[in-house]
Amino acid sequence: MIELNFGAGNDRLLVPVMWLFVAVLVTFVATRLVTRHIRARSTREPSESTTEVESGATTEVFRDINIGGVHIHHQVFGILLMAIVGVALIATTPEGAALNIFSAAFGIGLALTLDEFALWLHLDDVYWSTDGRKSIDAIFCALAITGVLIGGSEFVSGTIGSSGWWLSICYLLIGLAISVVCMLKGKFVTGIVGVMVEPIAIIGALRLAKPDSWWARRRYATKPARMQRARARFGEEYNARWNRMRDLVAGEHGTGTS
């Protein structure tokens, strides 16, 4: 769907996006290590940890931040950081090292925010619940998209109004339509990544829809055999397999809160 260029002329884009990618990856890993440490400590010594937090006497470097009895989630810092960086980028339009620094700072904010994607999606503290795994999917999408962007990319090519320009516009719209089909089939990660890598979207669009998706409810209602195949394909074993992969990266989900 996108045209990738790896020439020297794209260094202005390559380096900042690379810093963005690295910042998202490193911040996500560091955040998950910290939150897993906090969770393990609170699970191991719940009464002692609660007493220390309430008294403010804890000497732990990594701990939940509570101000006035309110738990400040790390997405708050991510949102504030992205807002500050966004304003700075618009106001100063930096180049060179300054642009790389801003890119890395924005990546840190993006990772902190997306790591609690499930929380602001559900408007509930579901960080360690089953729904909390959606945050892992969000981070994966961000890494996949920024990873593809490294090296430079053009969504539309050619001079505006030329045949090549119109051809690239049509190609882009077709690709977006294929990605929408993926999402209607319940494959949101595939659809989002497929915006950048079209073969992934094509494969996702051609294969069976998830049984609880909009597509399955509308298209498989009169096709019981296909619905049965979808349920068999995307059953408990499928979900368990992908959940094991998510939990291996980010910690075991299913119970507890952030």
Side-chain angles (χ1 to χ4, degrees):
M1 176 174 294
I2 59 175
E3 179 182 331
L4 296 179
N5 299 294
F6 295 91
N10 289 306
D11 285 348
R12 187 177 182 281
L13 175 63
L14 185 153
V15 177
V17 175
M18 181 185 68
W19 279 107
L20 174 64
F21 175 86
V22 172
V24 171
L25 178 61
V26 172
T27 303
F28 168 68
V29 172
T31 300
R32 282 289 164 167
L33 288 175
V34 170
T35 53
R36 290 173 74 168
H37 170 76
I38 294 173
R39 185 192 192 198
R41 190 181 71 247
S42 62
T43 302
R44 188 170 56 250
E45 301 173 345
S47 58
E48 180 179 342
S49 299
T50 302
T51 302
E52 288 180 344
V53 170
E54 290 177 347
S55 64
T58 179
T59 58
E60 286 283 349
V61 175
F62 300 122
R63 61 181 184 273
D64 289 335
I65 299 176
N66 293 275
I67 300 178
V70 177
H71 178 194
I72 308 301
H73 293 271
H74 50 267
Q75 68 166 339
V76 174
F77 301 103
I79 293 170
L80 291 175
L81 183 56
M82 285 195 296
I84 292 170
V85 172
V87 171
L89 285 172
I90 293 172
T92 64
T93 58
E95 295 183 0
L99 178 59
N100 296 336
I101 292 173
F102 278 126
S103 299
F106 187 86
I108 293 172
L110 183 64
L112 290 173
T113 304
L114 289 181
D115 188 56
E116 294 199 303
F117 170 79
L119 186 149
W120 46 270
L121 176 66
H122 291 276
L123 296 179
D124 194 12
D125 190 354
V126 294
Y127 193 80
W128 289 117
S129 71
T130 301
D131 287 330
R133 294 190 178 100
K134 294 174 183 175
S135 296
I136 314 305
D137 296 338
I139 286 286
F140 173 76
C141 289
L143 289 172
I145 291 172
T146 53
V148 170
L149 284 173
I150 294 177
S153 62
E154 294 181 1
F155 286 96
V156 180
S157 60
T159 305
I160 296 178
S162 66
S163 59
W165 184 82
W166 281 112
L167 182 62
S168 63
I169 289 290
C170 292
Y171 186 70
L172 175 62
L173 292 175
I174 292 172
L176 289 174
I178 295 173
S179 293
V180 169
V181 171
C182 286
M183 295 181 188
L184 292 177
K185 287 190 169 186
K187 306 171 185 180
F188 295 101
V189 175
T190 302
I192 293 172
V193 175
V195 173
M196 309 298 296
V197 188
E198 188 173 309
I200 292 178
I202 293 174
I203 293 172
L206 290 176
R207 303 192 73 178
L208 283 171
K210 292 186 176 180
D212 57 347
S213 67
W214 179 93
W215 189 280
R217 292 196 303 271
R218 298 299 180 90
R219 302 294 296 272
Y220 297 171
T222 57
K223 301 175 182 177
R226 185 164 295 184
M227 177 62 85
Q228 186 176 1
R229 285 174 54 205
R231 287 172 176 162
R233 177 173 179 79
F234 297 104
E236 293 184 3
E237 184 178 347
Y238 170 88
N239 292 325
R241 182 169 64 250
W242 283 106
N243 287 340
R244 283 196 298 270
M245 293 180 61
R246 295 183 182 103
D247 292 352
L248 179 65
V249 173
E252 184 178 356
H253 290 67
T255 58
T257 58
S258 173

